[in-house]
Amino acid sequence: MSCLVGCYVVDSACAMHAEQRIATDTERYARLEVAPRVYIGGFPYLSNYFRSETPSLSAEVLDITVPGFGLVNARTDVTDLTLTKEQLRTGHLESVPAKLLTRKLRLDGVAMGKFLGITDLDISNPYDISPSGGPASEVQLTGTPAGFSKPVTVIAALRITDTTITLTPRELRDVPPGQEDATREAFSWSIDSGLLPMPTRANRVYCQGGSIYFESEQRNIVIDASDLSPISIHD
């Protein structure tokens, strides 16, 4: 038993050392205010030394301000990385081949409310209000637009057409008579996905829990630590 405990401690220490180095490099190269939370897949960690590919690497940063865009939460997942033994030991990522990089941006009510100009915006899945509810292509929004005396609720569609992401009200609830057009205008929004802090244009937009997510993918790429952040080293 003591031998197993010792092996676990050593394995965890090696994983933490590599993860902390990746987090520190990402923070420095991408000029983040805080280091991301980094996790390297493959258990036990040292088994990665004997694999041709490390199954996964993830980095998550919360509540960061992206210049020219605003406040976001972001998660980057990399799948099937070809790491050298030196990179596994040190956590220094440079010219690492990987099969897939997925970037997810999450806008909560505060962040999305800034785009709409609604300070009390609440976001929810119109079909499943539980935090673990699955993704939906529609979103329920509740808030008080400028000029309104109380909150109103809309069900809006989230869509991607070519490179444009749109939020379009489909159903109005609790709207005072005569303010229907103003409500539709207040909750309508669009953005070119090229303006999002993502490596490629978004290929998916959805609501889950109390947030709106944007997602993009890159396949068969080469990465370093700066690719794990929504803020580019070149910004």
Side-chain angles (χ1 to χ4, degrees):
M1 179 63 71
S2 60
C3 181
L4 290 176
V5 172
C7 290
Y8 176 79
V9 170
V10 170
D11 188 76
S12 297
C14 292
M16 288 179 61
H17 174 76
E19 291 164 352
Q20 288 174 356
R21 171 64 184 271
I22 293 171
T24 299
D25 284 352
T26 303
E27 178 186 12
R28 182 172 69 252
Y29 295 157
R31 300 191 294 274
L32 299 176
E33 296 178 358
V34 295
R37 294 186 296 194
V38 172
Y39 173 74
I40 302 173
F43 182 82
Y45 175 76
L46 293 177
S47 66
N48 287 314
Y49 280 77
F50 307 100
R51 295 190 178 104
S52 60
E53 294 176 337
T54 297
S56 64
L57 167 66
S58 66
E60 185 173 26
V61 289
L62 303 177
D63 297 328
I64 63 167
T65 300
V66 177
F69 183 76
L71 187 69
V72 298
N73 299 288
R75 180 183 173 94
T76 304
D77 292 288
V78 188
T79 303
D80 295 335
L81 306 88
T82 304
L83 296 169
T84 66
K85 289 181 172 58
E86 179 68 9
Q87 289 168 334
L88 287 167
R89 184 182 66 82
T90 65
H92 178 63
L93 303 184
E94 185 175 357
S95 302
V96 177
K99 290 186 178 178
L100 176 67
L101 183 148
T102 302
R103 169 73 48 73
K104 293 180 182 179
L105 298 182
R106 178 171 65 87
L107 299 185
D108 58 19
V110 173
M112 191 69 207
K114 289 184 177 180
F115 284 108
L116 298 178
I118 300 175
T119 58
D120 61 344
L121 186 70
D122 178 78
I123 298 173
S124 62
N125 185 321
Y127 313 115
D128 186 347
I129 63 173
S130 66
S132 60
S137 57
E138 280 76 40
V139 57
Q140 179 173 296
L141 303 170
T142 300
T144 309
F148 282 61
S149 60
K150 62 179 182 179
V152 295
T153 297
V154 305
I155 306 297
L158 295 163
R159 299 289 186 269
I160 300 178
T161 304
D162 294 327
T163 63
T164 302
I165 300 170
T166 57
L167 175 70
T168 306
R170 299 295 194 199
E171 180 183 339
L172 309 183
R173 299 177 181 176
D174 306 321
V175 175
Q179 291 188 298
E180 290 84 359
D181 288 345
T183 300
R184 291 187 181 92
E185 182 178 355
F187 287 92
S188 295
W189 179 72
S190 66
I191 189 172
D192 189 303
S193 70
L195 299 176
L196 297 173
M198 307 178 86
T200 59
R201 73 180 191 180
N203 62 353
R204 191 181 180 204
V205 57
Y206 57 94
C207 168
Q208 187 166 14
S211 300
I212 293 175
Y213 289 81
F214 308 93
E215 188 173 314
S216 71
E217 293 182 349
Q218 287 179 292
R219 296 182 181 276
N220 300 318
I221 60 172
V222 176
I223 70 162
D224 59 30
S226 66
D227 293 300
L228 302 178
S229 163
I231 301 178
S232 169
I233 187 175
H234 303 295
D235 285 345

